[in-house]
């Protein structure tokens, strides 16, 4: 069922997929360029987090999850969902799955922290990583197994939920990267 306002005729439900924001001309060019830049910045951000010397840092994780995540985002940016749907959805699956797994690995590496070291940002990251994974794998289940239609509205809700939680997850790092208060999270170098 389509829900719209009577006065303006603006469609309120189902909400559109994020990819549909970049289908028409000229917005598809801005959308594509913006996502390619975002993908580059995402890999840079993941690399900074994974090489920061914190307890959750790992170069292997950056290469195995961060790099495919940003490549997936670039692929879905370059391949329009209407012109190249197969490549677009392959990129979307790579982006969402790799990012969800990276968030889980990153946040649960903080489990050894004890007491005051496990502050609100550590717990927030853990909750957000589970929410991102929940939205992502629910979306994949609906898309690949149930063969749900986008018009039903469940897949776009999962997509928007995963993206919003991802932005919040990334935001939590701004409060502890480079802060001397979090020195207890820095790994001790092997001698």
């Amino acid at each position: 069922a389509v829900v719209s306002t009577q006065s303006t005729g603006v469609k309120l439900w189902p909400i559109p997929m994020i990819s549909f924001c970049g289908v028409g001309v000229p917005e598809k060019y801005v959308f594509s360029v913006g996502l390619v830049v975002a993908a580059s910045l995402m890999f840079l951000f993941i690399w900074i987090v994974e090489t920061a010397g914190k307890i959750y840092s790992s170069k292997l994780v950056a290469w195995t999850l961060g790099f495919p995540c940003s490549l997936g985002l670039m692929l879905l940016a370059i391949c329009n969902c209407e012109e190249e749907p197969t490549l677009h959805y392959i990129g979307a699956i790579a982006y969402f799955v790799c990012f969800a797994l990276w968030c889980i690995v990153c946040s649960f590496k903080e489990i050894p922290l004890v007491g005051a070291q496990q502050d609100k940002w550590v717990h927030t990251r853990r909750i957000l990583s589970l929410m991102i994974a929940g939205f992502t794998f629910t979306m994949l289940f609906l898309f690949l197994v149930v063969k749900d239609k986008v018009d039903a509205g469940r897949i776009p809700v999962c997509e928007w939920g995963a993206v919003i939680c991802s932005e919040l997850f990334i935001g939590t790092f701004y409060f502890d990267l480079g802060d001397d208060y979090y020195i207890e999270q820095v790994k001790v170098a092997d001698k």
Side-chain angles (χ1 to χ4, degrees), residues 50 61 64-66 94-108 129 132-133 136-137 169:
E50 295 295 346
V61 173
T64 57
L65 295 175
Y95 164 70
F96 281 109
V97 170
C98 289
F99 191 76
L101 293 175
W102 177 76
C103 292
I104 288 173
V105 167
C106 191
S107 64
F108 281 86
S129 70
I132 293 165
T136 297
F137 292 110
F169 183 88

Side-chain angles (χ1 to χ4, degrees), residues 151-177:
D151 292 344
R154 292 182 292 263
I155 292 175
V157 166
C158 290
E159 180 190 40
W160 281 97
V163 168
I164 291 167
C165 288
S166 298
E167 297 303 321
L168 293 171
F169 183 88
I170 289 169
T172 65
F173 287 100
Y174 295 123
F175 298 104
D176 84 351
L177 283 176

Side-chain angles (χ1 to χ4, degrees), residues 12-74:
L12 301 174
W13 184 262
I15 62 173
M17 298 286 288
I18 295 170
S19 299
F20 294 157
C21 297
V23 171
V25 176
E27 64 267 11
K28 76 177 184 179
Y29 303 114
V30 175
F31 184 80
S32 293
V33 169
L35 280 182
V36 167
V37 170
S40 303
L41 292 174
M42 173 169 279
F43 183 73
L44 180 64
F45 173 77
I46 290 174
W47 186 254
I48 289 169
V49 167
E50 295 295 346
T51 59
K54 301 284 183 158
I55 194 166
Y56 47 70
S57 299
S58 165
K59 289 181 185 173
L60 177 65
V61 173
W63 283 109
T64 57
L65 295 175
F67 191 61
C69 170
S70 61
L71 283 178
L73 187 57
M74 273 190 202

Side-chain angles (χ1 to χ4, degrees), residues 114-125:
V114 293
Q117 296 172 341
Q118 285 206 15
D119 70 346
K120 62 184 176 196
W121 299 117
V122 172
H123 294 295
T124 302
R125 268 195 291 277

